[in-house]
Amino acid sequence: GRFFIPSVRVGGPYKITASLEGFKSEELANVSVKLGETKQLRFQLTMATMDVGEIVVTASNPVINSARTGAAQNVSETAIEAMPSLTRNFADYTRLSPPLPPDERGRQLQRSGHLFRWS
């Protein structure tokens, strides 16, 4: 960034320090200013290592259920027996699952945009 410090007394020597949390401070010493002069000073701060001590993270009542790995659906035996299916093809039963919609022609089922036969 750029910083302007107007109305600095003529003369010096000045000691100018640039600092920012997480970075090593940089210092310029013996800086003098003449009447009407504009000074440009360049600082390049490098990242500092910080010893913050021990960090303890605790949690309770987790939001994520580790026993469940993705979308799931159970179809009861009664629903399978009641569903009309001329060919007894498993694809007929997958139509009971909303994540597997038929394609544009209404014939084959897709998963993530791919035909189920590719899975």
Side-chain angles (χ1 to χ4, degrees):
R2 290 185 175 210
F3 298 92
F4 297 94
I5 306 172
S7 303
V8 175
R9 287 189 181 192
V10 175
Y14 290 103
K15 178 172 72 172
I16 301 159
T17 304
S19 63
L20 180 65
E21 187 175 339
F23 291 87
K24 293 180 184 175
S25 296
E26 190 173 329
E27 183 178 292
L28 290 175
N30 298 321
V31 177
S32 296
V33 181
K34 297 178 186 171
L35 183 62
E37 179 181 26
T38 301
K39 278 269 196 205
Q40 271 195 356
L41 305 173
R42 298 198 181 271
F43 294 91
Q44 185 169 351
L45 303 180
T46 57
M47 294 188 81
T49 56
M50 297 171 52
D51 183 20
V52 294
E54 181 179 349
I55 297 175
V56 178
V57 178
T58 58
S60 62
N61 195 12
V63 176
I64 298 173
N65 182 355
S66 61
R68 187 165 179 194
T69 58
Q73 182 178 3
N74 294 326
V75 179
S76 70
E77 185 177 345
T78 307
I80 291 174
E81 289 175 358
M83 183 177 173
S85 176
L86 296 174
T87 61
R88 304 303 282 174
N89 187 343
F90 81 95
D92 293 338
Y93 302 110
T94 59
R95 287 189 179 91
L96 297 173
S97 177
L100 295 171
D103 68 0
E104 302 84 38
R105 292 174 265 171
R107 292 183 298 180
Q108 295 186 339
L109 300 171
Q110 298 181 2
R111 180 178 54 87
S112 301
H114 299 287
L115 294 177
F116 72 94
R117 292 181 185 156
W118 296 353
S119 299

